[in-house]
Amino acid sequence: MKLLIDDADIEKIRKIYEFYAIDGVTTNPSILAKSGRKPYEVLREIRDLLGEDAELHVQVVSSKADDMVKEGKKIVEKLGKNTYVKIPTVPEGLKAMRILHNEGYKITATAIYTPLQAYLAAKAGANYAAPYVNRIDNLGTNGIEVTRKIHDIFENNGFKTEILAASFKNSLQVLELCEYGVGAATVAPDIIEGFINNTTNVQAAVQDFTDDFEKLCGEGKTMLNCD
Ligand code: G3P
């Protein structure tokens, strides 16, 4: 399962990128609004930080297919080849996906709440379909189950479309999809940090190793200077 960051805060992205193997960044209009900055200015900074090979997913805002197509082309022109045009999975969006797909653009079908919506996105040529796990949970339906069902639909029908699971509230939701082997998950920085930072037992074990070694060789000593 690929792991992407669902945020546009450059400092948070930089910090996560320094320590963990990350495959890219996703944004949406609400995430960009939180930055309070000009969208292309923020996105250019993110692209420069990621390099040209990482995935950057950027959403169109128009509501008509023709305008979505124009927006998608401008997004890719400004942010480079590995930029995925995120398009909401509504009828106008599905039309835009088909047009952009036929012209060779990479598409992420977003705002997916049901398996049949994902099926239509795959038919339209989307590279990724993004089910909103936690938002589906909040409707009283199981977001993990919906996402698994979408995974099975893609596998059983030979679609090349991958899942890019989004909208996570906690690491258990990410873990369950990782176990199932979905294509990708995009996760907020604080949840990614929680994959490892909340493990007091691990920290205690590492501290024990350091203490024992220092008893043997002296304070501050490591395998670099214990000859
Ligand atoms: O990009 C869409 C998705 O990540 C939304 O997440 O946390 O706003 O439900 P959230």
Side-chain angles (χ1 to χ4, degrees), residues 13-128:
I13 295 170
R14 200 190 304 282
K15 191 172 161 211
I16 298 285
Y17 250 76
E18 182 182 350
F19 294 102
Y20 309 120
I22 299 290
D23 299 288
V25 167
T26 59
T27 64
N28 63 35
S30 308
I31 287 173
L32 289 175
K34 267 191 231 157
S35 78
R37 296 172 57 198
K38 291 194 168 153
Y40 282 115
E41 187 185 292
V42 180
L43 291 163
R44 187 69 249 168
E45 265 185 45
I46 297 174
R47 171 52 84 201
D48 291 343
L49 175 67
L50 303 187
E52 61 178 13
D53 291 333
E55 295 183 13
L56 177 59
H57 299 245
V58 180
Q59 192 163 329
V60 299
V61 185
S62 303
S63 54
K64 291 289 175 197
D66 289 350
D67 297 328
M68 290 177 180
V69 168
K70 285 184 203 148
E71 245 189 292
K73 287 181 180 179
K74 175 161 179 178
I75 287 167
V76 175
E77 186 192 312
K78 288 190 78 90
L79 297 166
K81 63 183 167 70
N82 279 317
T83 303
Y84 288 70
V85 183
K86 272 178 90 178
I87 303 179
T89 312
V90 294
E92 292 282 343
L94 287 160
K95 180 178 169 185
M97 285 177 210
R98 219 165 68 241
I99 296 168
L100 284 170
H101 168 70
N102 287 337
E103 293 188 30
Y105 287 86
K106 294 176 179 167
I107 312 294
T108 299
T110 195
I112 290 183
Y113 286 76
T114 72
L116 283 174
Q117 230 187 328
Y119 164 72
L120 288 177
K123 292 279 289 170
N127 301 77
Y128 282 114

Side-chain angles (χ1 to χ4, degrees), residues 91-160:
E92 292 282 343
L94 287 160
K95 180 178 169 185
M97 285 177 210
R98 219 165 68 241
I99 296 168
L100 284 170
H101 168 70
N102 287 337
E103 293 188 30
Y105 287 86
K106 294 176 179 167
I107 312 294
T108 299
T110 195
I112 290 183
Y113 286 76
T114 72
L116 283 174
Q117 230 187 328
Y119 164 72
L120 288 177
K123 292 279 289 170
N127 301 77
Y128 282 114
Y132 285 4
V133 176
N134 196 63
R135 294 196 196 191
I136 297 171
D137 280 353
N138 285 341
L139 295 175
T141 309
N142 188 323
I144 299 296
E145 285 306 316
V146 168
T147 305
R148 285 182 178 160
K149 206 172 267 195
I150 293 170
H151 178 88
D152 292 346
I153 288 170
F154 290 171
E155 292 253 311
N156 295 339
N157 289 276
F159 286 125
K160 289 194 183 124

